[in-house]
Amino acid sequence: MEQVLVVPRKKLLAGGGLEGFSPEPGVMARFLKIVRSHGYFVPRLLAEEDEDLKQIVPYGVVFFWDRVFLFRRGKGGVEIGLRGRWSLGLGGHVNPEDGTGPSMLERALLREMAEEVSLEQPRLKRWGVLNDDRDEVGRRHFGFVYRVWATSPVVVSREAGKIQGFWASLQEAQARRPEMESWSQIVLEVLLQERGEVLIPGPG
């Protein structure tokens, strides 16, 4: 049975915590310290049923030049709330095999991405932290967000029934925003703000 890294909600979000995305290095460092101090592994099925636990998720947004990898999740994933949704983030849970220490999240992200797609020598950089308690799936997860740079435009899905995507402009991504999972909606808005572009109002 898969074991995943969790932190009790009351420990992770003590003192008001975070809602939305923060790119501040100090904020990310604070949450990393909490994870290292209070994180432990539980069976994933248990974590999925307990909103008092926050599952820790490294979440990689993949870029090639000015394009971002946009993909649609399949209909067979464990997370019912993510099935069929468009996403900007690859990644997943931290497992015991990812070890401990400062690079634990990076190892987990590289492993999870390699299970989903084939990328040539991806480069990672910590970007921020993300929490969305307004969303059913988000209430059980907490994201450490990374920018990931691909060194080649070739992306091969290792899970053909789950991951189908393409390199998209931000405008192309906006067109699919209503069908995106909530974390990707938040990340898209951040990317648009960075580039001085306006989020087109719409459903979702």
Side-chain angles (χ1 to χ4, degrees):
M1 182 180 297
E2 182 185 11
Q3 300 275 319
V4 299
L5 181 66
V6 300
V7 177
R9 171 183 292 276
K10 63 182 180 181
K11 294 290 187 182
L12 188 65
L13 301 178
L18 169 81
E19 185 64 32
F21 177 84
S22 174
E24 297 296 328
V27 173
M28 191 172 196
R30 174 166 63 88
F31 281 107
L32 282 169
K33 184 176 180 180
I34 294 171
V35 170
R36 290 169 185 152
S37 298
H38 300 287
Y40 57 94
F41 293 95
V42 301
R44 181 173 180 179
L45 291 179
L46 174 63
E48 294 291 351
E49 297 177 355
D50 190 350
E51 289 189 1
D52 289 332
L53 298 176
K54 277 285 198 177
Q55 300 169 54
I56 303 304
V57 174
Y59 187 82
V61 182
V62 184
F63 299 89
F64 184 74
W65 292 95
D66 63 343
R67 300 276 167 155
V68 63
F69 187 64
L70 175 66
F71 65 94
R72 192 162 205 164
R73 298 180 183 274
K75 298 182 179 180
V78 175
E79 287 288 355
I80 295 175
L82 299 181
R83 292 176 183 173
R85 293 277 190 167
W86 286 94
S87 183
L88 296 173
L90 293 165
H93 297 84
V94 181
N95 301 149
E97 67 195 79
D98 300 313
T100 59
S103 300
M104 172 180 62
L105 295 179
E106 286 82 359
R107 286 194 295 269
L109 177 56
L110 288 170
R111 174 184 55 76
E112 287 279 358
M113 288 196 304
E115 291 174 2
E116 296 173 332
V117 298
S118 174
L119 289 172
E120 293 186 18
Q121 299 180 324
R123 296 182 293 115
L124 311 181
K125 183 178 181 181
R126 291 176 180 175
W127 185 10
V129 287
L130 199 165
N131 185 57
D132 183 13
D133 281 342
R134 303 167 301 172
D135 177 75
E136 182 181 356
V137 176
R139 283 194 294 273
R140 291 179 277 108
H141 298 84
F142 186 90
F144 286 85
V145 187
Y146 290 77
R147 294 182 194 265
V148 181
W149 285 277
T151 55
S152 165
V154 178
V155 181
V156 179
S157 174
R158 297 188 189 278
E159 299 181 318
K162 297 181 181 180
I163 302 293
Q164 292 294 328
F166 65 100
W167 295 109
S169 67
L170 292 187
Q171 290 74 23
E172 290 171 321
Q174 280 209 69
R176 292 165 175 81
R177 183 177 181 274
E179 300 177 76
M180 285 183 180
E181 41 94 359
S182 70
W183 281 12
S184 289
Q185 291 184 356
I186 293 169
V187 166
L188 175 61
E189 186 168 357
V190 172
L191 288 172
L192 289 166
Q193 290 173 350
E194 285 184 349
R195 299 189 188 183
E197 300 186 36
V198 178
L199 179 67
I200 299 172

